[in-house]
Amino acid sequence: MSEKKDFKVAVVSLGCAKNQVDAEQMMATLADAGYSFAEEPGLSDIVLLNTCGFITAAKEEAIEWLNELITLKNEGTIKYIVVTGCLSERYRDEFEKEYPEVDAIVGIAEYGHIAEIIGKMTNGENSGQICCYGKKEEHSMEGKRILSTMSHYAYLRIADGCDNCCTYCAIPQIRGRYRSRPIENIVKEARELADKGVKELVVIAQDTTRYGLDLYNKLSLADLLNELCKIDGLKWIRVLYAYPERITDELIDVIANQDKVVKYLDIPLQHCDGSILKRMNRHGDENSLRALVAKLRERIPGITLRTTFITGFPGETEEQFNRLGEFAEDMKFERMGCFAYSEEEGTIAATMPDQIDEEVREHRKEILEEQQDTRVAEMYEAMVGDEAEVVVEGYDRYLEHYFGRSAMFAPEIDGMIYFTAPNEKKLTIGEFVKIRFVDVLDNNLIGELI
């Protein structure tokens, strides 16, 4: 550790878990350089804003945060603003011109130099705004992290970038080509996390199922999961962001047969209509997707399936949307996220002539969400009387209930289970307990400790 610095840093990370891992690595780099951290921006000297630039709503959130930080700086509450993340990578020129109050703009390839950049910013070596970018492909996925999650779970990034080139998505422009980490590096990091007390690994990438194709000339997620299952101390291993066309029989077998791999799979399908999927530059059609869901449910009994859909993609007719609703109803996905289509500059879809009115996009999204709420309520009602293992994540003093997650709840996106325990029983965060479901309240499962 270097000599302790006089400046305190607050880190605000927006967007996805992959962005969060970047922030955790930057925090470790800064800690090694002697910087300490503040819980809130208003208690810091330097605020590092790690932005998301995926869709319009994410960009708006980042700009709102930036404007708040500029106000704090103008008031003299904070001294410096550093912007990192996808938005600064995507809109380099705009940031430099429109936000002179930002002291440093850092592209994704320069995260490893974050301490040096902040050092130059604070010691007066640069009289103006510092702008640092590099080649996207040189963005390092290795290195220490300071976890920003609860201590019993962590995200495990296995790749960066994307080669899928969906017509609505700017991620390949922002993050570059798909790059897998070597298996030995991932396993080493996973062991270190387990040694620190992490019980659940959430495996992430833009496309986890493409893992290894660039390094080993074969889809290697199944091999990686088998290696991760050998690590002592791990209890749950969860896979997010699986693409339907690359869910192999080998991967299905690993999920079905490895006890540590939870029976949960996140598959962002985006639509079911074949012509819409083709316009999205995605594969498959309704028949192939129905067959995949049936196969997963048959081969992995009790699996929880999560998906996402996009409503109002250019050219989506009322008939195609209705078909999507019927598909979602028939497939009975346990988890579903929905996005109204967002026109993103530089993408092919944004140039398509048959754009759907924004109100229609939003209305269709609301219809699917209401349909899913009803489905979840029915599912939870049917679960009353069942038992489940739950990891404790906190205590709600207002409700006088503990809360936590079972294997069918991914952290931060799937909600919580609330449950009671005898008064004399004190539970700790990260502890795994057995509960019985006794009720459903406002689409939340209610249980009691067994």
Side-chain angles (χ1 to χ4, degrees), residues 248-267:
T248 63
D249 286 341
E250 186 182 13
L251 177 59
I252 292 172
D253 287 341
V254 169
I255 298 172
N257 299 322
Q258 285 282 15
D259 291 338
K260 291 184 179 182
V261 180
V262 295
K263 312 317 174 205
Y264 179 111
L265 194 59
D266 172 56
I267 317 171

Side-chain angles (χ1 to χ4, degrees), residues 235-236 387-393 402-407 409 417-419 430-437 449:
K235 186 174 179 65
W236 288 348
E387 298 177 0
E389 188 174 32
V390 168
V391 60
V392 180
E393 297 207 325
Y402 286 95
F403 55 87
R405 297 179 293 109
S406 72
F409 287 72
I417 297 166
Y418 293 85
F419 61 96
E431 180 181 356
F432 285 79
V433 297
K434 203 74 171 290
I435 70 165
R436 179 183 295 109
F437 301 124
L449 190 70

